[in-house]
Amino acid sequence: MDDPVILRVENIVKTIGGQRILDDVSFSVKKGHLKVLIGPSGAGKSTLLACINFLSPPDSGTISLDGKAVDGKSRKELLALRQQVGMIFQDFNLFDHLSALDNVRVALVKVKGLDKRAATNRAMEELARVGLADKSTLYPAQLSGGQKQRVSVARALAMDPKVLLLDEPTSALDPELIGEVLTVIRDLADLGMTMVMATHQISFSASLADEFLFMERGRIVERGAPSQLLARDSGSRTQSFCAKLSELAGDGHCEIAPAPRA
Amino acid sequence: MDDFFAFAWERIIPTLDAGLWTSILLIVPASLFGVAIGVSVGALRVYGPRPVVKTLDAYVSLFRGTPLVVQLYFWYFALPYVRIGDFALVLSPMWAAIVGFALCSGAYQSEYIRGGLLSIKRGQLRAAQALGMTPFQSVTSVVLPQAFRRALPGCGNEIIYLIKYSSLASIITVSDLTGMGRSLAKSSFRNTEVFIVVGLYYLALVTIASFLLKIAEKKLEIPGFESKRE
């Protein structure tokens, strides 16, 4: 395990409206690894992700990409950071006035400065990767939730991010549409994309994640390999949280899905 | 009745046609400047820094809060007496009217644009910034195109108002439709006929404008931003 560390998050503190949402959070992600953030809602998972690309600037602490600490006060450094860190949102946030193709293309032209043809080619490649090449002319209003989320993945990937942040990418989807998005995420993991994902899909992510980070009240209270934290006799917070979730879902068990890479 | 048509044909229409051109030369630039002011002021009032927001809010209150006639009097009659050092700006009647209409219309337009901007979900702005767009790029290429579509019916409404309040230009000596009509009515003493035809001219202008606005709405229509709801 001597992959280089791509993203380092150190001692992040974030207070919103007098309430401490993140309380001294630190972790690091190595190249090609997937870290999964788990925990009850309000634990600070989304805020943590938003702090990493400074959409919600941390009050204190350091974010380093490729070993270089980001100066949150420098506009130039912020824009450069965001180009290299992709983000997937729970409610997709596609640009409603642009076709699927233009959703992917717009930042390639405006941010990366590609000419229109190169941008179109790249955008079509990414749409094909998420299985939506034939939907490129459709507008968000004409796409299903799962398709919208796949367009948003294509949009993020087109920027060649070093890290992808996923904020509950399947939470806003109808159950029958979750699968198509999870498949895309699994393909990315197989291809070695470095990712940090907040999710409630515990058994799915257990098969992909290198480490689980269990968050509660703004702190990471447990961390470890999924197999270790989810072991039936581990007595971990993660295990009991997962058991509660699966009880609510009615499938009555909480364990690691069979290895998908085999 | 025959007499009416003869008089309309020989006297009213030739007189008003001369004023019509003047009116169009007022309305077109004033509405274009009005929309431009509305879009910039509307966007700055939503996304600008605090002092700019305060200043522009004051602009809108001032121009929505005072009668347009008073504003026109100011631009035409009072402005020449406002001296800054040795310099005083004297506007021709046409320019005073265009400036007056554009600033007043812009104040109203900015409200429609502001409403449109606020109707666009914040998430899209976050997504644009997460891709590395500058705040300016995010607003101009993501939020404004959508806000403008949502605001278009209101903006069109304001342009139609502008066509009609352009008739106020006649009180600062512009020989527009209303101005020409009034002179003719005075000299011929045939108020009824003249002002009926003047009204019909405005009705025609508004009808053409509504038609053009409908075309614009259709042209900008995309799925999710339909002008009709089924």
Side-chain angles (χ1 to χ4, degrees):
Chain A
M1 291 291 223
D2 43 10
D3 296 319
V5 170
I6 294 247
L7 175 71
R8 195 183 290 282
V9 174
E10 287 165 298
N11 312 107
I12 295 295
V13 175
K14 175 79 185 175
T15 314
I16 300 174
Q19 215 174 1
R20 201 162 252 234
I21 306 295
L22 293 175
D23 188 4
D24 197 22
V25 174
S26 304
F27 70 93
S28 60
V29 193
K30 289 180 177 169
K31 189 173 163 55
H33 284 214
L34 167 61
K35 298 259 170 183
V36 169
L37 302 174
I38 306 175
S41 55
K45 307 185 293 291
S46 296
T47 310
L48 176 56
L49 291 175
C51 278
I52 293 175
N53 65 0
F54 287 79
L55 278 187
S56 170
D59 297 340
S60 63
T62 324
I63 307 287
S64 318
L65 192 68
D66 265 345
K68 209 179 146 296
V70 179
D71 173 8
K73 299 245 175 342
S74 154
R75 201 177 122 106
K76 218 175 117 204
E77 279 193 32
L78 270 193
L79 295 178
L81 169 79
R82 288 177 184 157
Q83 275 190 55
Q84 300 173 72
V85 177
M87 190 163 210
I88 304 298
F89 301 86
Q90 182 173 343
D91 39 10
F92 332 125
N93 291 341
L94 288 189
F95 307 136
D96 285 333
H97 65 306
L98 298 178
S99 65
L101 175 63
D102 279 325
N103 259 282
V104 183
R105 192 166 57 178
V106 62
L108 290 174
V109 175
K110 303 259 172 197
V111 179
K112 288 222 155 177
L114 262 61
D115 66 66
K116 201 160 178 187
R117 232 180 56 180
T120 307
N121 290 340
R122 183 63 205 270
M124 283 308 292
E125 254 173 56
E126 293 302 337
L127 284 174
R129 164 145 54 161
V130 297
L132 290 174
D134 57 331
K135 304 272 191 259
S136 66
T137 59
L138 297 187
Y139 286 86
Q142 299 167 304
L143 298 170
S144 74
Q147 290 167 338
K148 282 189 222 181
Q149 193 60 296
R150 282 147 68 197
V151 172
S152 92
V153 172
R155 178 173 70 178
L157 291 179
M159 300 297 285
D160 287 319
K162 289 180 176 154
V163 184
L164 199 55
L165 310 174
L166 301 101
D167 186 4
E168 303 200 27
T170 59
S171 295
L173 294 175
D174 289 336
E176 77 270 23
L177 301 177
I178 291 177
E180 62 189 80
V181 173
L182 293 184
T183 307
V184 168
I185 295 171
R186 168 168 296 160
D187 290 346
L188 288 180
D190 289 348
L191 286 169
M193 174 60 76
T194 312
M195 295 187 277
V196 183
M197 173 162 71
T199 187
H200 291 298
Q201 299 284 327
I202 296 181
S203 54
F204 164 78
S205 52
S207 62
L208 301 175
D210 296 280
E211 193 178 38
F212 272 2
L213 304 173
F214 188 87
M215 289 188 73
E216 204 166 34
R217 268 174 264 133
R219 292 176 152 274
I220 296 177
V221 293
E222 269 175 15
R223 58 178 89 201
S227 58
Q228 181 195 331
L229 288 182
L230 289 180
R232 211 168 279 269
D233 53 359
S234 66
S236 68
R237 280 290 289 120
T238 310
Q239 213 282 331
S240 63
F241 179 69
C242 181
K244 201 167 77 186
L245 279 190
S246 52
E247 194 182 314
L248 286 172
D251 49 11
H253 60 86
C254 176
E255 56 199 30
I256 300 169
R261 301 188 206 207
Chain B
M1 207 59 187
D2 280 349
D3 181 41
F4 168 75
F5 283 117
F7 180 68
W9 193 252
E10 281 160 24
R11 297 286 307 279
I12 306 179
I13 291 179
T15 310
L16 293 189
D17 281 351
L20 176 66
W21 188 237
T22 310
S23 283
I24 291 173
L25 283 180
L26 271 181
I27 292 164
V28 172
S31 57
L32 291 179
F33 285 136
V35 170
I37 293 172
V39 169
S40 345
V41 170
L44 282 169
R45 285 175 71 202
V46 176
Y47 298 111
R50 240 182 114 72
V52 174
V53 174
K54 289 270 172 239
T55 313
L56 294 177
D57 282 352
Y59 153 70
V60 173
S61 321
L62 185 65
F63 283 83
R64 285 199 310 172
T66 53
L68 183 53
V69 178
V70 175
Q71 293 175 31
L72 290 177
Y73 281 159
F74 178 83
W75 296 119
Y76 185 56
F77 293 119
L79 192 63
Y81 297 101
V82 180
R83 291 186 173 277
I84 300 168
D86 256 351
F87 180 78
L89 188 61
V90 183
L91 294 174
S92 70
M94 269 308 255
W95 276 108
I98 291 174
V99 166
F101 295 154
L103 285 172
C104 176
S105 185
Y108 283 95
Q109 297 283 22
S110 82
E111 279 295 270
Y112 294 115
I113 297 287
R114 196 170 67 92
L117 286 168
L118 293 175
S119 79
I120 307 303
K121 277 190 289 170
R122 234 189 106 57
Q124 293 188 51
L125 202 59
R126 282 164 67 84
Q129 291 188 297
L131 287 165
M133 287 193 199
T134 61
F136 180 76
Q137 284 175 325
S138 316
V139 171
T140 52
S141 52
V142 173
V143 195
L144 262 180
Q146 297 180 47
F148 190 72
R149 285 181 168 85
R150 296 233 188 279
L152 198 56
C155 292
N157 204 23
E158 178 56 30
I159 288 175
I160 284 171
Y161 267 121
L162 171 65
I163 291 176
K164 291 176 297 169
Y165 61 64
S166 75
S167 62
L168 291 177
S170 63
I171 63 169
I172 53 168
T173 75
V174 176
S175 300
D176 71 334
L177 264 176
T178 308
M180 294 299 275
R182 196 166 50 217
S183 320
L184 181 60
K186 262 187 192 157
S187 60
S188 67
F189 298 103
R190 299 182 72 160
N191 287 287
T192 321
E193 292 94 328
V194 171
F195 287 119
I196 285 176
V197 181
V198 169
L200 290 174
Y201 268 70
Y202 281 104
L203 187 59
L205 282 179
V206 168
T207 308
I208 294 168
S210 318
F211 178 71
L212 294 177
L213 286 165
K214 199 162 269 171
I215 291 179
E217 255 182 69
K218 266 269 167 284
K219 266 230 162 359
L220 289 172
E221 191 171 271
I222 49 170
F225 292 85
E226 288 89 352
S227 55
K228 284 198 184 74
R229 283 273 151 88
E230 272 96 70

